[in-house]
Amino acid sequence: MTAVEWQIVGFTVWVAALSTLAILPIGLALAWALARGNWPGKSVVETLVTLPLVMPPVATGLILLTIFGRHGVGGFLQDTFNFKIIFTWRAVLLALSVMSLPLLVRSARTAFEEVNPRLEQIARTLGAGGWRVFFTITIPLAARGIVGGMLLAFARALGEFGATIMVAGYMPGKTATISLAIFEDVQDFQDTKAYHLLGVSVALAFIAVWTSEFFLRRKKPT
Amino acid sequence: MSLLLKNISLPLAHFALEVDVEMPKRVTAVFGPSGAGKTSLLDLIAGLRSPRSAFIQLNGDVLTDTAKKFSVATHRRGIGYVPQDLALFPHLSVRQNLFYGRKSRENAGMLFSFEHVIKVLEIEPLTSRGVTELSGGEKQRVALARALLASPRLLLLDEPLASLDEPLKEKIIPYLIRIRDEFQIPMLCVTHDRFVALTLADEIVVLMGGKVMQTGPVSEVFTRPANAEVAKFAGVETLQPGKITSVADGLATVNVGSVTLTALAPATASRDVFVCIRGEEVILQRDAAIASSVRNRLSARVLSLRPEGALVRVELDAGFPLFALVTRPACAELELREGATVIALIKAPAIHLVPR
């Protein structure tokens, strides 16, 4: 493993972890709303959230490129705040977040649904307001599912390729993640480099999925 | 306590809960069979469900007024709620459960001290345990203590003994009585258990099929049920159709089965009645020669004997099916067994005639 390869691994882990943290608030809010609420348009939101899971990642990437590109929101952000998204590490973060969000939402939603609403109601009769109930009852009781979902989302982010290549391109030292680097290395006949990164990505994915399985496994009834 | 429930309407799966009742007594039992809408009523009072229409007032404070689109949030109502499944928080220790409501009300002034509640409910040794390590009766006491420690101004109890088996029930009842007497807290207790209602409540509201069938002091509901449904449910053992043949001097003569009984005349003019007789009111004797003031003396044959705790439920054929409740020693003394012949004595005022 060369210093460049380590840099790529480090960047990938860092940006994947960051994307998992970034989607946490919105992911939990969506999961909770889908689990508890019964509001108009719920099924539409449900479908939209799941869409990145089944759509070609490249297509999702193209949508992001259109929205955040020069002629979309991105142009405005760049002109007004000199804030560049496309073809920077921020684009990687954006692509990973969108692609891994469905996994977090789905796991967290199931976890929220398994929390007995009666416990939340009784907490309210004990004088706890909505936020206190959420953070002291709902979240702790759904914690396993949430952590499991975070690990799955993290694992998904580690391996993201299609959407990332569309919005961030392959720029060594700037936007290069493990998957992008493997693809480029094989293109350049640098198979040894590719196999190094392959080994790392298998190990990372294994650890992430294995721990998530541990958390998502149903608790034994007590 | 003064709890006013006016114009309540809440559609449920098979019927609508429609209630208009005032509960002026400190301890009221909402008594009714399972599926009568009792829990839904508690949920409405606690603010956990949105009714189609309701006006709910506790001690002068309006809690819900759908006409004005007004509703106090559950956590600001100050109403304690011990649900049937107790809803102890499984991820918290007993101590954390107990303090959950305490933290919320820190500034609102404490009604009951931690030490007092712990002592009354005898849960000191349990506080360091996890919730899953508690027995059924212990869980019940912890749930009660948790609700009390939030210093509620009204305590709602949903079927407080339903999850416990018979011997445990007898152990928990004294704690409920202690809570009632030590803390002087207004309580509204939902139950289908006659024993609980009789023991705890000053007043009973009979709820059946979402409607209030009868409201009144405990003794009245059980001895003077408003209609046949209440009578049947309230545990009046004998309930038989009869026909009033004559009324004179406030006494009615009723034909039931093959016999004629004398009872207090009902207020209504209806001739067709249900004859309600509580098992405790039926006296059994072997010797027909003893004279007494009892109006109704029936020769009866014992059909079956069923022990019920300290009592024995005796099924008799007295010209109509009649049930008597006697103590075990009495049963032995009279040498009651299937096929034996006895005299059943029923005082006229103990026969309650309900129009049908």
Side-chain angles (χ1 to χ4, degrees):
Chain A
M1 291 277 285
T2 64
V4 176
E5 283 164 3
W6 278 118
Q7 189 276 329
I8 289 170
V9 171
F11 173 72
T12 308
V13 173
W14 173 77
V15 78
L18 195 63
S19 79
T20 307
L21 289 179
I23 61 172
L24 194 58
I26 180 139
L28 290 186
L30 271 170
W32 190 82
L34 291 174
R36 282 281 185 272
N38 210 349
W39 30 278
K42 180 175 160 180
S43 59
V44 177
V45 173
E46 216 170 347
T47 311
L48 280 176
V49 170
T50 313
L51 224 48
L53 206 61
V54 286
M55 259 178 31
V58 176
T60 307
L62 183 57
I63 293 172
L64 291 176
L65 190 60
T66 314
I67 296 173
F68 293 96
R70 200 72 195 87
H71 302 290
V73 189
F76 168 77
L77 288 174
Q78 192 171 346
D79 296 343
T80 325
F81 305 106
N82 197 24
F83 187 82
K84 274 179 80 173
I85 295 178
I86 300 302
F87 301 120
T88 67
W89 68 269
R90 297 186 188 107
V92 182
L93 180 65
L94 178 70
L96 301 193
S97 300
V98 171
M99 294 305 292
S100 56
L101 182 66
L103 290 166
L104 173 66
V105 173
R106 291 174 80 86
S107 300
R109 179 190 174 168
T110 311
F112 284 144
E113 278 169 349
E114 279 172 10
V115 175
N116 179 0
R118 206 62 178 159
L119 296 176
E120 297 168 331
Q121 292 181 338
I122 294 308
R124 278 159 61 202
T125 69
L126 290 167
W131 287 109
R132 182 158 173 237
V133 172
F134 186 69
F135 284 111
T136 59
I137 306 293
T138 318
I139 293 270
L141 287 174
R144 288 174 73 98
I146 293 169
V147 174
M150 285 173 71
L151 284 162
L152 274 186
F154 174 68
R156 176 73 185 84
L158 281 178
E160 215 305 311
F161 178 82
T164 317
I165 195 84
M166 288 299 283
V167 292
Y170 173 73
M171 282 179 263
K174 259 181 90 182
T175 65
T177 62
I178 296 176
S179 349
L180 300 185
I182 290 177
F183 182 75
E184 289 296 326
D185 288 342
V186 174
Q187 295 279 300
D188 294 346
F189 304 103
Q190 308 247 13
D191 286 12
T192 324
K193 276 189 184 174
Y195 285 129
H196 284 163
L197 292 175
L198 172 68
V200 174
S201 68
V202 169
L204 284 174
F206 183 88
I207 294 167
V209 174
W210 190 68
T211 32
S212 80
E213 283 297 317
F214 169 78
F215 281 104
L216 288 174
R217 208 177 301 140
R218 274 173 170 276
K219 246 189 275 182
K220 279 185 200 140
T222 44
Chain B
M1 170 178 80
S2 159
L3 180 64
L4 182 63
L5 305 171
K6 267 181 74 172
N7 198 17
I8 307 276
S9 172
L10 174 76
L12 299 172
H14 301 295
F15 55 88
L17 181 67
E18 270 155 3
V19 173
D20 225 315
V21 71
E22 192 175 353
M23 303 179 185
K25 292 289 189 318
R26 189 163 66 79
V27 182
T28 304
V30 175
F31 182 63
S34 317
K38 302 190 300 291
T39 301
S40 303
L41 186 67
L42 290 190
D43 284 3
L44 281 185
I45 297 168
L48 297 173
R49 284 182 85 147
S50 308
R52 187 160 54 196
S53 79
F55 180 84
I56 302 174
Q57 195 179 40
L58 176 64
N59 301 333
D61 295 336
V62 178
L63 297 179
T64 304
D65 187 354
T66 47
K68 291 183 180 156
K69 294 195 187 320
F70 175 79
S71 180
V72 175
T74 297
H75 66 282
R76 296 190 204 286
R77 289 195 177 203
I79 294 180
Y81 192 168
V82 181
Q84 195 173 344
D85 62 2
L86 306 177
L88 292 177
F89 306 133
H91 59 299
L92 301 179
S93 71
V94 169
R95 175 170 282 275
Q96 287 169 317
N97 265 280
L98 291 173
F99 275 102
Y100 193 89
R102 199 114 185 113
K103 276 181 194 143
S104 311
R105 296 272 157 70
E106 240 149 22
N107 305 319
M110 298 297 172
L111 278 170
F112 317 125
S113 80
F114 183 74
E115 291 69 27
H116 193 185
V117 173
I118 295 291
K119 195 171 148 230
V120 169
L121 288 166
E122 296 173 10
I123 45 180
E124 175 77 65
L126 311 177
T127 49
S128 56
R129 291 207 218 155
V131 167
T132 46
E133 300 162 51
L134 300 178
S135 70
E138 290 168 342
K139 278 185 184 160
Q140 187 93 35
R141 274 145 59 200
V142 171
L144 285 166
R146 182 181 64 176
L148 284 172
L149 284 167
S151 298
R153 41 190 189 148
L154 167 66
L155 186 60
L156 307 175
L157 303 175
D158 190 0
E159 298 284 5
L161 304 181
S163 58
L164 306 172
D165 50 22
E166 212 53 55
L168 256 181
K169 276 185 190 174
E170 283 165 29
K171 283 191 184 151
I172 290 295
I173 275 275
Y175 290 107
L176 293 172
I177 294 170
R178 270 202 228 170
I179 290 173
R180 182 190 66 189
D181 299 342
E182 281 267 338
F183 300 109
Q184 292 289 310
I185 183 172
M187 301 197 322
L188 182 59
C189 173
V190 149
T191 184
H192 69 267
D193 190 328
R194 188 164 63 131
F195 183 52
V196 176
L198 279 168
T199 318
L200 278 185
D202 304 316
E203 192 166 68
I204 290 191
V205 173
V206 182
L207 189 72
M208 298 177 96
K211 312 245 180 323
V212 173
M213 292 287 181
Q214 189 173 0
T215 313
V218 175
S219 57
E220 192 182 301
V221 170
F222 287 111
T223 51
R224 294 264 177 273
N227 56 41
E229 274 179 274
V230 175
K232 198 165 182 185
F233 179 69
V236 176
E237 276 79 13
T238 300
L239 187 80
Q240 283 293 312
K243 200 171 181 73
I244 299 178
T245 51
S246 68
V247 176
D249 300 330
L251 291 179
T253 310
V254 202
N255 284 342
V256 192
S258 61
V259 297
T260 304
L261 299 175
T262 304
L264 293 188
T268 51
S270 170
R271 296 260 139 183
D272 291 317
V273 290
F274 278 112
V275 176
C276 307
I277 305 165
R278 302 183 58 192
E280 300 93 310
E281 310 273 15
V282 179
I283 297 161
L284 300 182
Q285 69 179 43
R286 284 225 85 131
D287 194 346
I290 304 167
S292 78
S293 65
V294 178
R295 290 299 87 201
N296 301 293
R297 304 165 65 86
L298 307 167
S299 174
R301 200 164 53 84
V302 176
L303 295 178
S304 73
L305 298 160
R306 206 175 80 210
E308 269 188 20
L311 300 172
V312 179
R313 177 185 295 263
V314 187
E315 190 189 349
L316 301 152
D317 179 6
F320 64 96
L322 177 70
F323 288 94
L325 278 177
V326 297
T327 58
R328 279 166 185 266
C331 189
E333 215 166 280
L334 288 173
E335 295 174 359
L336 292 181
R337 64 185 120 65
E338 281 178 32
T341 323
V342 288
I343 306 293
L345 303 178
I346 314 158
K347 293 175 79 170
I351 298 177
H352 184 47
L353 303 178
V354 179
R356 64 180 158 111

